[in-house]
């Protein structure tokens, strides 16, 4: 059996789509599970869609996600580079290779020159639509002899090169996730292989590249399923062995339609910006279209590599559920050390104007305790500023339950005892904060819910939230005294 070699081959049209990342993840899991190689190839033959900087963004997104590129296009010192002995790995650098192989197809009678104008093709499609037929090329140029074709080329006529499919023939292939798939050539088109600008179409380039790069398994989106018989026929025309195909279901929105930018965030950069962790995003994406044998939902990358099974890939699209992503990501948020959380949270706190790196360095223990205080309730990093609202936000009591607590019978005694004890203290240490409520209980004679709920409402304006002793320490003596004074207006 050949060594497993898979490839992820995106087009550099912008940022990496979340569906593209899932394709990369499945390729990577398959490669690692079989001790194989993961290649990154850039398919940039459609120059009209090329976006400057897109290759760099693609690689950074893969690196951030924990996907290691064994061969192909990589970043070295921030610059695009290529590693491996089967390059170039950027299609626009392989034009001479494609020209050689398309000439071979013409010589063997498996391809032909087509001189039809865009106007004729548009009119043909329109006529076929009116008649209720599937729009496809009618084969007008199939009968042109090589000699006549050469004369027309020499005369300067523009042309493309098309695949010459046999008439009325079933083409079958095995899909590892879907079983046997058969399509008759009468339902297919004589696909353009080489455009008039000398650039290959996807259909020629993908077959030539996958063969020359020794790709053993093609794991790609189901949108390529109708094209696969053409690719299988091209392998036959060249006399090559085709790879194993595995087509993946689409990533859908909640309306069960293709996930697109019109409905919101779709790029890896978007989700990274919201503060999702790579472990959380990859773990969740792996479950959108694939299910493990048991009901396990939290997987490390190593566990995914061990559990991944192509026979359990779904045949229907998987719905991308942000709430489920939040739930998975929250697991990884809780696993961060407080030091890691503070480092990751600082850019969000700085952007909100709450805390700079310099300020955090002046009193690291205080801000590490702040991370301890908010960590349990976080799904993603962008929530950190809001979670710190009890500390930085303007004091106000709007919550109905908090207003009720401040009007409760025990509230005046609790607030007065708190005020008196604090006024007799210097600045509050963490140890002071941990013992403060016991002192308030003793001084006020109030205990349990009747003690803690009014105290929390008076200090934070809410009845639920993080550990109260942490809040007392973080707010500090002067801020709490100021809030207790304001709380009296609601009592």
């Amino acid at each position: 059996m050949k060594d497993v070699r898979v490839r992820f081959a995106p087009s550099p049209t912008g940022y990496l789509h979340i569906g593209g990342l899932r394709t990369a993840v499945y390729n990577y899991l398959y490669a690692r599970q079989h001790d194989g190689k993961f290649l990154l190839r850039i398919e940039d033959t459609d120059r009209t869609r090329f976006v400057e900087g897109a290759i760099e963004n693609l690689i950074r997104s893969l690196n951030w996600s924990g996907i290691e590129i064994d061969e192909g296009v990589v970043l070295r010192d921030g610059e695009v580079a290529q590693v491996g002995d089967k390059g170039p790995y950027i299609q626009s650098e392989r034009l001479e290779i494609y020209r050689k192989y398309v000439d071979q197809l013409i010589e063997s009678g498996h391809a032909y020159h087509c001189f039809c104008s865009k106007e004729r093709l548009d009119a043909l499609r329109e006529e076929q639509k009116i008649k209720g037929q599937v729009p496809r090329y009618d084969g007008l140029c199939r009968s042109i002899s090589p000699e006549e074709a050469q004369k027309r080329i020499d005369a300067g006529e523009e042309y493309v090169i098309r695949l010459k499919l046999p008439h009325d023939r079933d083409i079958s292939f095995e899909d590892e996730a879907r079983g046997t798939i058969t399509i008759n050539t009468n339902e297919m088109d004589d696909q353009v292989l080489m455009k008039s600008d000398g650039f290959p179409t996807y259909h020629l380039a993908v077959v030539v590249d996958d063969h020359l790069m020794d790709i053993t398994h093609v794991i790609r989106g189901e949108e390529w399923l109708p094209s696969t018989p053409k690719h299988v026929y091209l392998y036959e025309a060249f006399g090559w062995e085709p790879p194993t195909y595995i087509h993946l279901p689409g990533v859908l929105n909640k309306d069960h339609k293709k996930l697109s930018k019109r409905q919101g965030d779709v790029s890896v950069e978007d989700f990274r910006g919201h503060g999702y962790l790579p472990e959380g995003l990859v773990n969740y994406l792996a479950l959108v279209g694939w299910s493990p044998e048991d009901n396990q939902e939290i997987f490390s990358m190593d566990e995914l590599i061990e559990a991944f099974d192509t026979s359990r890939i779904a045949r229907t699209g998987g719905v991308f559920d942000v709430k489920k992503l939040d739930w998975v990501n929250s697991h990884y948020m809780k696993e961060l050390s407080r030091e890691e959380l503070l480092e990751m949270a600082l850019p969000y706190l700085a952007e909100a104007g709450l805390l700079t790196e310099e300020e955090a360095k002046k009193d690291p223990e205080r801000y590490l305790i702040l991370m301890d205080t908010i960590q349990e309730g976080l799904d993603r990093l962008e929530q950190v500023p809001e979670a710190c609202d009890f500390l930085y936000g303007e004091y106000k009591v709007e919550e109905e339950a908090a207003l009720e607590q401040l009007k409760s019978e025990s509230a005046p005694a609790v607030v007065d005892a708190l005020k008196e004890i604090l006024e007799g203290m210097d600045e509050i240490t963490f140890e002071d904060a941990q013992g403060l409520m016991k002192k308030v209980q003793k001084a006020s004679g109030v205990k349990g819910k009747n003690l803690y709920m009014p105290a929390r409402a008076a200090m934070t304006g809410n009845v639920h939230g993080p550990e109260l002793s942490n809040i007392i320490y973080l707010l500090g003596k002067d801020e709490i005294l100021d809030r207790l004074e304001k709380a009296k207006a609601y009592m």
Side-chain angles (χ1 to χ4, degrees), residues 221-287:
E222 65 185 359
E223 66 270 21
W224 295 112
L225 203 50
S227 300
T228 305
K230 298 173 191 176
H231 302 166
V232 170
Y233 181 71
L234 268 173
Y235 275 97
E236 182 186 315
F238 283 123
W240 300 336
E241 184 186 341
T244 298
Y245 288 100
I246 304 167
H247 287 92
L248 309 176
V251 178
L252 309 176
N253 63 24
K254 60 185 178 183
D255 299 322
H256 291 257
K257 293 178 181 173
K258 188 176 178 182
L259 197 67
S260 74
K261 198 155 187 68
R262 286 191 301 278
Q263 285 100 24
D265 298 322
V266 294
S267 78
V268 175
E269 283 292 312
D270 290 333
F271 289 92
R272 187 177 178 180
H274 289 310
Y276 289 97
L277 304 181
E279 299 87 352
L281 187 58
V282 166
N283 183 163
Y284 175 67
L285 268 182
L287 301 173

Side-chain angles (χ1 to χ4, degrees), residues 165-180:
L165 284 169
H167 291 299
D168 193 21
R169 181 178 146 193
D170 284 342
I171 296 180
S172 298
F173 66 95
E174 287 293 317
D175 186 291
E176 204 166 285
R178 295 166 186 252
T180 305

Side-chain angles (χ1 to χ4, degrees), residues 159-229:
Y159 66 92
V160 297
I161 296 171
R162 290 183 182 271
L163 176 64
K164 187 183 278 188
L165 284 169
H167 291 299
D168 193 21
R169 181 178 146 193
D170 284 342
I171 296 180
S172 298
F173 66 95
E174 287 293 317
D175 186 291
E176 204 166 285
R178 295 166 186 252
T180 305
I181 293 173
T182 302
I183 299 180
N184 190 279
T185 54
N186 286 356
E187 298 171 38
M188 294 155 61
D189 206 359
D190 277 5
Q191 189 70 52
V192 174
L193 300 177
M194 186 77 78
K195 294 175 281 189
S196 57
D197 60 4
F199 276 78
T201 61
Y202 172 83
H203 306 282
L204 173 69
V206 74
V207 168
V208 170
D209 290 348
D210 284 346
H211 173 71
L212 295 181
M213 294 178 189
D214 290 333
I215 300 303
T216 58
H217 295 75
V218 170
I219 306 171
R220 62 186 177 189
E222 65 185 359
E223 66 270 21
W224 295 112
L225 203 50
S227 300
T228 305

Side-chain angles (χ1 to χ4, degrees), residues 419-433:
K419 185 171 183 289
E420 189 178 335
I421 292 167
L422 285 170
E423 285 175 341
M425 294 175 68
D426 293 328
E427 192 51 56
I428 305 171
T429 65
F430 189 55
E431 289 71 27
D432 291 336

Side-chain angles (χ1 to χ4, degrees), residues 293-491:
E293 279 191 20
D294 54 25
N295 292 322
Q296 184 177 342
E297 292 185 292
I298 301 299
F299 288 86
S300 67
M301 184 72 90
D302 286 343
E303 288 170 331
L304 282 172
I305 289 166
E306 189 174 340
F308 189 63
D309 179 354
T310 54
S311 71
R312 298 189 63 83
I313 291 173
R315 296 190 182 195
T316 55
V319 174
F320 190 88
D321 182 348
V322 174
K323 285 184 180 175
K324 188 64 180 286
L325 169 60
D326 283 348
W327 179 83
V328 171
N329 199 67
S330 69
H331 168 84
Y332 293 96
M333 293 292 292
K334 290 177 179 69
E335 287 200 332
L336 294 172
S337 70
R338 58 186 195 161
E339 288 81 8
E340 288 170 328
L341 180 57
L342 178 58
E343 185 182 343
M344 291 180 181
L346 273 171
Y348 296 87
L349 289 165
E351 189 180 343
L354 302 180
L355 179 67
T356 64
E357 194 173 339
E358 292 70 31
E359 288 168 333
K361 282 179 180 173
K362 286 176 187 172
D363 193 357
E365 188 57 30
R366 170 179 167 79
Y367 296 108
L368 291 173
I369 289 170
L370 175 59
M371 295 301 106
D372 278 338
T373 307
I374 65 171
Q375 186 166 15
E376 188 65 26
L378 296 175
D379 294 330
R380 53 192 185 278
L381 291 166
E382 72 174 356
Q383 295 171 332
V384 168
E386 188 181 342
C388 295
D389 197 51
F390 74 90
L391 181 60
Y392 294 107
E394 181 189 348
Y395 176 80
K396 54 187 179 292
V397 186
E398 295 176 335
E399 188 181 271
E400 192 61 40
L403 289 166
E404 284 177 18
Q405 287 299 324
L406 290 176
K407 292 183 187 300
S408 67
E409 195 179 321
S410 62
V414 171
V415 170
D416 287 344
L418 249 175
K419 185 171 183 289
E420 189 178 335
I421 292 167
L422 285 170
E423 285 175 341
M425 294 175 68
D426 293 328
E427 192 51 56
I428 305 171
T429 65
F430 189 55
E431 289 71 27
D432 291 336
Q434 289 177 307
L436 184 66
M437 290 310 294
K438 280 190 179 177
K439 291 181 180 178
V440 176
Q441 179 181 324
K442 192 173 179 183
S444 66
V446 181
K447 57 185 179 180
K449 272 190 172 183
N450 294 334
L451 168 70
Y452 284 93
M453 299 289 260
R456 185 182 287 276
M459 286 188 274
T460 69
N462 298 289
V463 292
H464 300 292
E467 182 67 41
L468 194 56
S469 59
N470 287 25
I471 290 173
I472 291 166
Y473 167 72
L474 292 164
L475 288 173
K477 172 185 170 179
D478 293 341
E479 178 64 23
I480 295 174
L481 285 171
D482 183 55
R483 291 185 177 201
L484 293 179
E485 205 56 46
K486 289 174 181 174
K488 288 181 179 179
Y490 297 96
M491 291 168 71

